[in-house]
Amino acid sequence: MAGNSFGQLFRITTFGESHGEAIGVIIDGCPAGLEVDLDYIQGELDKRKPGQSKITTQRKESDTVKILSGTFEGKTTGTPIAMLIPNEDQRSKDYSHNVDVFRPSHADYTYQTKYGIRDHRGGGRSSARETAARVAAGALAKLLLKTQGIEIVAHVSSVGKINAPNVFISDPLEFIEEREKNIVRCADPATAEEMIEFIDSVRKDGDTVGGKISCYVKNCPVGLGEPVFDKLHAELGKAMLSINAVHGFEFGSGFEGSEMRGSEHNDIFVKSHLGDIQTITNFSGGIQGGISNGMPIEFRVAFKPVATIMKNQATIDSEGNAAEISGKGRHDPCVVPRAVPIVEAMAALVLADHWLRNRNARLI
């Protein structure tokens, strides 16, 4: 199976399955001398782990990470870093009814057809459990970016048709503290309560609902991104669309920008009181010509409803015969709250990779 690695200079390779012994990640290219804050890395994993509240899946995983290599006396050595996260609450018997049938909108049929074999227990590599490894690696990337003053924050900006108002981020830490005050991870308290009530009603109905996450990168320097095929927004788009259940990505004005005129959409350059160049508006989302322009990077990620629902559904078996899949076991009524640290992690991996590339962009 190809496609398990991401990045060039800051490169990760994830491994493991949902119901295997463990999942993990190898990080290659992290510079030596970076202080490894294990508490911070574990804290990021705790935001993604299942069983956090009534509106998430009740699988119980501590997601305790162990660093096996690449560090010495609390700092990176420049050698490959291995991180391991044991699986603790697989409950493989919950999937015994899936052995010979294809679950609607899952990867069962495509995996079986492509490889001739599949792990029916939670989907194997296609399971969103794999994203825990990304969060662990992304946390290390965030620590690297923090040394440059670059901060990445995200929150749930919509669930179903419930949309939060636009938020202004003056202090990333305060923004995160406000977001973490509610279980849906929306930075607007009033909208958060409405979202939680709606998700809970969907959960009681045995169904699922999707939503959107808005992500912001503060203090990003000018120059990140590599034309022509490695444009920064293209790399971010690939990173986000690689996350399970993601069906859409837009940055800056996004699809709404297609409805505007150029005279409305152009971001006019000005010189700030500090002497640096900025733009009056930010329809470009902090990226122009595929390269960061120093303005905040802004993008949104849309998640479809999780495919596992607690309702019986018509399907077919591996022989093509009509069958029915029963709705039982554990399900996640809305994956979006737990996806916030995943979105931040993938953004961090892209930016860390391009920051390292940018260091080598010119001779000084």
Side-chain angles (χ1 to χ4, degrees):
M1 177 187 289
N4 295 291
S5 300
F6 184 82
Q8 293 188 23
L9 298 188
F10 194 103
R11 186 172 180 83
I12 71 166
T13 300
T14 70
F15 62 87
E17 294 81 35
S18 174
H19 285 237
E21 290 288 326
I23 55 174
V25 61
I26 305 293
I27 305 165
D28 200 5
C30 183
L34 175 66
E35 290 193 16
V36 180
D37 187 340
L38 190 56
D39 289 337
Y40 176 79
I41 295 172
Q42 188 61 58
E44 292 300 287
L45 283 164
D46 289 346
K47 294 170 185 174
R48 193 224 70 98
K49 71 180 182 181
Q52 296 180 41
S53 70
K54 65 182 180 180
I55 62 170
T56 65
T57 176
Q58 294 308 295
R59 179 170 174 168
K60 300 297 182 183
E61 296 283 355
S62 67
D63 280 355
T64 303
V65 65
K66 185 176 183 179
I67 298 179
L68 304 180
S69 66
T71 64
F72 179 68
E73 295 182 342
K75 293 184 178 181
T76 57
T77 61
T79 59
I81 299 166
M83 293 182 175
L84 190 72
I85 305 170
N87 290 325
E88 301 166 344
D89 187 28
Q90 295 96 322
R91 292 195 197 176
S92 298
K93 65 177 189 277
D94 285 355
Y95 297 88
S96 58
H97 61 298
N98 293 337
V99 175
D100 295 317
V101 296
F102 299 136
R103 295 169 296 170
S105 286
H106 284 78
D108 297 349
Y109 170 69
T110 52
Y111 267 55
Q112 183 67 46
T113 302
K114 181 176 177 68
Y115 300 107
I117 187 173
R118 68 180 174 91
D119 187 347
H120 68 275
R121 307 164 303 164
R125 283 292 284 170
S126 69
S127 169
R129 176 118 188 88
E130 178 269 342
T131 59
R134 306 187 194 196
V135 172
L140 192 69
K142 288 173 79 172
L143 288 173
L144 175 61
L145 295 172
K146 284 176 183 291
T147 66
Q148 306 302 308
I150 304 170
E151 298 281 354
I152 302 170
V153 295
H155 82 127
V156 175
S157 52
S158 77
V159 169
K161 296 182 179 180
I162 302 171
N163 295 289
N166 292 331
V167 294
F168 176 74
I169 305 171
S170 57
D171 185 299
L173 183 59
E174 289 180 2
F175 178 84
I176 293 173
E177 288 177 350
E178 186 64 38
R179 179 195 76 190
E180 292 298 314
K181 289 179 181 178
N182 61 77
I183 58 177
V184 79
R185 291 202 168 90
C186 175
D188 183 70
T191 310
E193 289 303 315
E194 188 179 356
M195 289 175 174
I196 293 168
E197 184 178 348
F198 177 57
I199 295 172
D200 198 34
S201 68
V202 170
R203 177 187 66 83
K204 291 175 181 177
D205 194 36
D207 218 330
T208 61
V209 66
K212 300 186 188 73
I213 290 174
S214 294
C215 189
Y216 311 87
V217 182
K218 303 283 287 186
N219 306 320
C220 183
V222 181
L224 302 193
E226 302 291 334
V228 168
F229 296 109
D230 289 351
K231 291 182 171 70
L232 187 58
H233 57 279
E235 298 273 277
L236 286 168
K238 178 180 179 179
M240 298 308 144
L241 290 165
S242 75
I243 300 171
N244 307 60
V246 169
H247 269 213
F249 169 82
E250 62 177 4
F251 73 102
S253 61
F255 289 104
E256 290 186 5
S258 66
E259 301 172 2
M260 301 170 66
R261 297 189 178 193
S263 55
E264 300 172 290
H265 194 272
N266 287 347
D267 294 318
I268 304 303
F269 290 108
V270 294
K271 197 170 187 178
S272 75
H273 66 282
L274 297 176
D276 58 333
I277 295 176
Q278 298 181 349
T279 58
I280 297 174
T281 54
N282 194 24
F283 293 121
S284 299
I287 304 170
Q288 293 174 326
I291 300 173
S292 61
N293 66 1
M295 294 294 288
I297 294 175
E298 302 177 358
F299 62 86
R300 292 159 298 284
V301 187
F303 288 76
K304 73 178 180 69
V306 175
T308 300
I309 63 175
M310 295 298 100
K311 296 174 179 286
N312 291 354
Q313 300 176 86
T315 186
I316 61 171
D317 62 21
S318 56
E319 300 297 323
N321 301 311
E324 184 177 72
I325 187 79
S326 59
K328 64 179 182 179
R330 300 171 294 195
H331 90 298
D332 207 332
C334 184
V335 74
V336 188
R338 291 201 300 127
V340 167
I342 305 171
V343 167
E344 291 182 351
M346 293 307 297
L349 291 169
V350 171
L351 291 168
D353 188 50
H354 279 275
W355 179 75
L356 289 171
R357 293 199 223 179
N358 205 51
R359 287 199 311 178
N360 303 326
R362 61 165 76 178
L363 295 176
I364 298 176

